[in-house]
Coordinates of all heavy atoms in Angstrom, one line a residue:
T1 N 88.4 99.1 96.8 CA 88.0 97.7 96.5 C 89.1 97.0 95.7 O 89.8 97.7 95.0 CB 86.6 97.6 95.8 OG1 86.8 98.1 94.5 CG2 85.5 98.4 96.5
D2 N 89.2 95.7 95.9 CA 90.1 94.9 95.1 C 89.6 94.7 93.6 O 90.3 94.2 92.8 CB 90.4 93.6 95.8 CG 91.2 93.8 97.0 OD1 91.9 94.9 97.1 OD2 91.0 93.0 97.9
G3 N 88.3 95.0 93.4 CA 87.7 94.7 92.1 C 86.8 93.5 92.2 O 87.1 92.4 92.8
R4 N 85.7 93.5 91.6 CA 84.7 92.5 91.6 C 85.2 91.3 90.9 O 85.8 91.4 89.8 CB 83.4 92.9 91.0 CG 82.2 91.9 91.1 CD 81.0 92.4 90.4 NE 80.5 93.6 90.9 CZ 79.7 93.6 91.9 NH1 79.3 92.5 92.4 NH2 79.1 94.8 92.5
V5 N 85.0 90.0 91.4 CA 85.4 88.8 90.7 C 84.2 88.3 89.9 O 83.2 88.1 90.4 CB 85.9 87.8 91.7 CG1 86.2 86.4 91.0 CG2 87.1 88.2 92.6
E6 N 84.5 88.1 88.6 CA 83.4 87.6 87.7 C 83.7 86.2 87.4 O 84.8 85.9 87.0 CB 83.3 88.5 86.5 CG 82.9 89.9 86.7 CD 82.8 90.7 85.4 OE1 83.5 90.3 84.4 OE2 82.1 91.8 85.4
V7 N 82.6 85.4 87.4 CA 82.7 83.9 87.1 C 82.0 83.6 85.8 O 80.7 83.9 85.8 CB 82.4 83.0 88.2 CG1 82.5 81.6 87.9 CG2 83.1 83.4 89.5
R8 N 82.6 83.1 84.8 CA 82.0 82.7 83.6 C 82.4 81.2 83.3 O 83.4 80.9 82.8 CB 82.3 83.6 82.4 CG 81.8 85.0 82.6 CD 82.1 85.9 81.5 NE 81.6 87.2 81.6 CZ 81.8 88.2 80.7 NH1 82.4 88.0 79.6 NH2 81.2 89.4 80.9
G9 N 81.4 80.3 83.6 CA 81.8 78.9 83.5 C 82.9 78.5 84.4 O 82.8 78.7 85.6
S10 N 84.0 78.0 83.8 CA 85.1 77.7 84.6 C 86.2 78.8 84.7 O 87.3 78.6 85.2 CB 85.8 76.4 84.0 OG 86.3 76.7 82.7
R11 N 85.9 79.9 84.1 CA 86.8 81.0 84.1 C 86.4 82.1 85.0 O 85.3 82.4 85.3 CB 87.0 81.6 82.7 CG 87.6 80.7 81.6 CD 87.7 81.4 80.3 NE 88.8 81.0 79.5 CZ 89.1 81.5 78.3 NH1 88.4 82.5 77.9 NH2 90.2 81.1 77.6
T12 N 87.5 82.7 85.7 CA 87.2 83.8 86.6 C 88.2 85.0 86.1 O 89.3 84.8 85.6 CB 87.5 83.5 88.0 OG1 88.9 83.1 88.2 CG2 86.6 82.4 88.5
R13 N 87.7 86.2 86.4 CA 88.6 87.3 86.2 C 88.1 88.4 87.2 O 87.0 88.5 87.7 CB 88.4 87.9 84.8 CG 87.1 88.6 84.5 CD 87.2 89.4 83.2 NE 86.0 90.2 83.0 CZ 86.0 91.2 82.2 NH1 87.0 91.6 81.5 NH2 84.8 91.9 82.1
R14 N 89.1 89.2 87.6 CA 88.8 90.3 88.6 C 88.8 91.6 87.8 O 89.7 91.9 87.0 CB 90.0 90.3 89.7 CG 89.6 91.4 90.7 CD 90.7 91.4 91.8 NE 90.8 90.2 92.6 CZ 89.9 90.0 93.6 NH1 89.0 90.9 94.0 NH2 90.1 88.9 94.4
R15 N 87.6 92.3 88.0 CA 87.5 93.6 87.4 C 88.5 94.7 88.0 O 89.0 94.4 89.0 CB 86.2 94.0 87.4 CG 85.2 93.2 86.7 CD 83.7 93.7 86.6 NE 83.6 94.9 85.9 CZ 82.5 95.6 85.8 NH1 81.4 95.2 86.5 NH2 82.5 96.8 85.1
K16 N 88.6 95.7 87.4 CA 89.6 96.8 87.9 C 89.1 97.2 89.3 O 88.0 97.4 89.6 CB 89.5 98.0 86.9 CG 90.5 99.1 87.2 CD 90.5 100.2 86.2 CE 91.5 101.3 86.4 NZ 91.5 102.4 85.5
S17 N 90.2 97.4 90.1 CA 89.9 97.9 91.4 C 89.5 99.3 91.5 O 89.7 100.1 90.5 CB 91.2 97.7 92.3 OG 92.2 98.6 91.8
K18 N 88.9 99.7 92.6 CA 88.4 101.2 92.7 C 89.5 101.8 93.6 O 89.8 101.3 94.8 CB 87.1 101.2 93.3 CG 86.0 100.8 92.4 CD 84.6 101.0 92.9 CE 83.5 100.6 91.9 NZ 82.1 100.7 92.4
R19 N 90.0 103.0 93.2 CA 91.0 103.7 94.0 C 90.8 105.2 93.8 O 90.8 105.7 92.7 CB 92.4 103.3 93.4 CG 93.5 103.8 94.1 CD 94.8 103.3 93.4 NE 94.9 101.9 93.3 CZ 95.6 101.2 94.2 NH1 96.3 101.9 95.2 NH2 95.7 99.9 94.1
A20 N 90.6 105.8 95.0 CA 90.4 107.3 94.9 C 91.7 108.0 94.8 O 92.7 107.7 95.5 CB 89.7 107.8 96.2
D21 N 91.8 109.0 93.9 CA 93.0 109.8 93.7 C 93.5 110.4 95.1 O 94.7 110.4 95.4 CB 92.9 110.9 92.6 CG 92.8 110.3 91.2 OD1 93.4 109.2 91.0 OD2 92.1 110.8 90.4
Y22 N 92.6 111.0 95.8 CA 92.9 111.6 97.1 C 91.7 111.3 98.0 O 90.6 111.5 97.6 CB 93.0 113.1 97.0 CG 94.3 113.6 96.2 CD1 94.1 113.8 94.8 CD2 95.5 113.9 96.8 CE1 95.2 114.3 94.1 CE2 96.6 114.4 96.1 CZ 96.4 114.6 94.8 OH 97.5 115.1 94.0
V23 N 92.1 110.9 99.2 CA 91.1 111.0 100.3 C 91.7 111.9 101.4 O 92.9 111.8 101.8 CB 90.8 109.7 100.9 CG1 89.9 109.8 102.3 CG2 90.1 108.8 99.9
L24 N 91.0 113.0 101.8 CA 91.5 114.0 102.8 C 90.9 113.7 104.2 O 89.7 113.5 104.3 CB 91.2 115.4 102.4 CG 91.6 115.8 101.0 CD1 91.3 117.3 100.8 CD2 93.1 115.6 100.8
E25 N 91.8 113.5 105.2 CA 91.4 113.1 106.5 C 91.7 114.3 107.4 O 92.9 114.7 107.5 CB 92.1 111.8 106.8 CG 91.8 110.7 105.9 CD 92.5 109.3 106.2 OE1 93.6 109.5 107.0 OE2 92.0 108.3 105.9
F26 N 90.7 114.7 108.3 CA 91.0 115.6 109.3 C 92.1 115.1 110.3 O 93.0 115.7 110.7 CB 89.8 116.1 110.0 CG 90.0 117.1 111.0 CD1 90.4 118.5 110.6 CD2 90.0 116.8 112.4 CE1 90.7 119.4 111.6 CE2 90.1 117.8 113.4 CZ 90.5 119.1 113.0
R27 N 91.8 113.8 110.7 CA 92.8 113.1 111.5 C 92.9 111.7 110.9 O 92.0 111.3 110.1 CB 92.4 113.0 113.0 CG 92.4 114.3 113.7 CD 92.1 114.1 115.2 NE 93.2 113.5 115.9 CZ 94.3 114.0 116.3 NH1 94.5 115.3 116.2 NH2 95.2 113.3 116.9
P28 N 94.0 110.9 111.1 CA 94.1 109.7 110.4 C 92.9 108.8 110.6 O 92.4 108.6 111.6 CB 95.3 109.1 111.1 CG 96.2 110.2 111.6 CD 95.1 111.3 111.9
N29 N 92.4 108.4 109.4 CA 91.2 107.5 109.3 C 89.8 108.2 109.5 O 88.8 107.5 109.6 CB 91.3 106.2 110.2 CG 92.5 105.4 109.9 OD1 92.7 105.0 108.8 ND2 93.3 105.1 111.0
I30 N 89.8 109.6 109.7 CA 88.6 110.3 109.8 C 88.5 111.2 108.6 O 88.9 112.3 108.5 CB 88.6 111.2 111.1 CG1 88.9 110.3 112.4 CG2 87.3 111.9 111.2 CD1 88.9 111.0 113.6
A31 N 87.9 110.5 107.5 CA 87.9 111.2 106.2 C 86.8 112.2 106.1 O 85.7 112.1 106.7 CB 87.6 110.1 105.1
V32 N 87.0 113.3 105.4 CA 86.0 114.4 105.2 C 85.8 114.7 103.8 O 84.8 115.3 103.3 CB 86.4 115.6 105.9 CG1 86.3 115.4 107.4 CG2 87.7 116.2 105.6
A33 N 86.8 114.4 102.8 CA 86.7 114.8 101.4 C 87.3 113.8 100.5 O 88.3 113.1 100.8 CB 87.3 116.2 101.3
V34 N 86.9 113.8 99.2 CA 87.4 113.0 98.2 C 87.8 114.0 97.0 O 87.0 114.9 96.7 CB 86.5 112.0 97.6 CG1 87.0 111.4 96.4 CG2 86.3 110.9 98.7
V35 N 88.9 113.8 96.4 CA 89.4 114.6 95.3 C 89.8 113.7 94.2 O 90.5 112.8 94.3 CB 90.6 115.5 95.6 CG1 91.0 116.3 94.4 CG2 90.4 116.4 96.8
E36 N 89.1 113.9 93.0 CA 89.4 113.1 91.8 C 90.1 114.0 90.7 O 89.7 115.0 90.4 CB 88.1 112.5 91.2 CG 88.3 111.5 90.1 CD 89.1 110.2 90.5 OE1 89.0 109.9 91.8 OE2 89.7 109.7 89.7
A37 N 91.2 113.5 90.2 CA 92.0 114.2 89.3 C 91.9 113.6 87.8 O 91.7 112.4 87.6 CB 93.5 114.2 89.6
K38 N 91.9 114.6 86.9 CA 91.8 114.1 85.5 C 92.9 115.0 84.7 O 93.4 116.0 85.2 CB 90.5 114.4 84.9 CG 89.4 113.5 85.4 CD 89.6 112.1 85.2 CE 88.6 111.2 85.8 NZ 88.8 109.7 85.7
R39 N 93.3 114.6 83.5 CA 94.2 115.3 82.7 C 93.7 116.6 82.2 O 92.4 116.8 82.2 CB 94.6 114.5 81.4 CG 95.5 113.2 81.8 CD 95.9 112.6 80.5 NE 96.9 113.4 79.9 CZ 97.5 113.1 78.7 NH1 97.2 111.8 78.2 NH2 98.3 113.9 78.1
Y40 N 94.5 117.6 81.8 CA 94.2 118.9 81.6 C 93.2 119.0 80.3 O 92.3 119.9 80.3 CB 95.4 119.7 81.3 CG 95.1 121.2 81.1 CD1 94.7 122.0 82.2 CD2 95.2 121.8 79.8 CE1 94.4 123.4 82.0 CE2 95.0 123.2 79.6 CZ 94.6 123.9 80.7 OH 94.3 125.3 80.5
K41 N 93.3 118.0 79.5 CA 92.4 118.0 78.2 C 91.0 117.9 78.6 O 90.1 118.1 77.8 CB 92.8 117.0 77.2 CG 92.6 115.5 77.7 CD 93.1 114.5 76.6 CE 92.8 113.1 77.1 NZ 93.2 112.1 76.0
Y42 N 90.7 117.4 79.8 CA 89.2 117.2 80.2 C 88.8 118.5 81.0 O 89.6 119.2 81.5 CB 89.0 116.0 81.2 CG 89.4 114.7 80.4 CD1 90.6 114.0 80.7 CD2 88.6 114.2 79.5 CE1 90.9 112.8 80.1 CE2 88.9 113.0 78.9 CZ 90.0 112.3 79.2 OH 90.3 111.1 78.5
S43 N 87.5 118.7 81.1 CA 87.0 119.8 82.0 C 87.3 119.6 83.4 O 87.6 118.5 83.9 CB 85.4 119.9 81.7 OG 84.8 118.9 82.3
V44 N 87.2 120.7 84.1 CA 87.5 120.7 85.5 C 86.6 119.7 86.3 O 87.0 119.2 87.4 CB 87.5 122.1 86.2 CG1 86.0 122.7 86.2 CG2 88.1 122.2 87.5
G45 N 85.3 119.6 85.8 CA 84.4 118.7 86.5 C 84.2 117.3 85.9 O 83.3 116.6 86.3
H46 N 85.1 117.0 85.0 CA 85.0 115.6 84.4 C 85.0 114.5 85.4 O 84.4 113.5 85.1 CB 86.1 115.5 83.3 CG 86.0 114.2 82.5 ND1 85.1 114.2 81.4 CD2 86.6 113.0 82.6 CE1 85.2 113.0 80.8 NE2 86.1 112.3 81.5

């Protein structure tokens, strides 16, 4: 996603976009898995 647009009065801001670290596709555009990565200081399941 590009990030949700929030409107407060006359001001707008876009929240942080969503981006998967890895999407694994058996064939192009046929996704089967997602992999999320974190730094080593975090647990493997963080």
Side-chain angles (χ1 to χ4, degrees):
T1 68
D2 293 332
R4 184 186 298 274
V5 176
E6 294 182 339
V7 180
R8 294 182 179 179
S10 61
R11 290 180 152 186
T12 62
R13 70 164 186 166
R14 186 180 291 277
R15 298 184 64 181
K16 187 178 180 181
S17 62
K18 292 184 178 179
R19 186 181 298 265
D21 287 329
Y22 294 88
V23 172
L24 304 183
E25 301 176 340
F26 181 71
R27 295 187 66 85
N29 299 309
I30 303 178
V32 294
V34 170
V35 183
E36 188 62 26
K38 295 299 178 184
R39 292 187 64 182
Y40 186 71
K41 67 178 182 178
Y42 297 107
S43 68
V44 69
H46 186 79

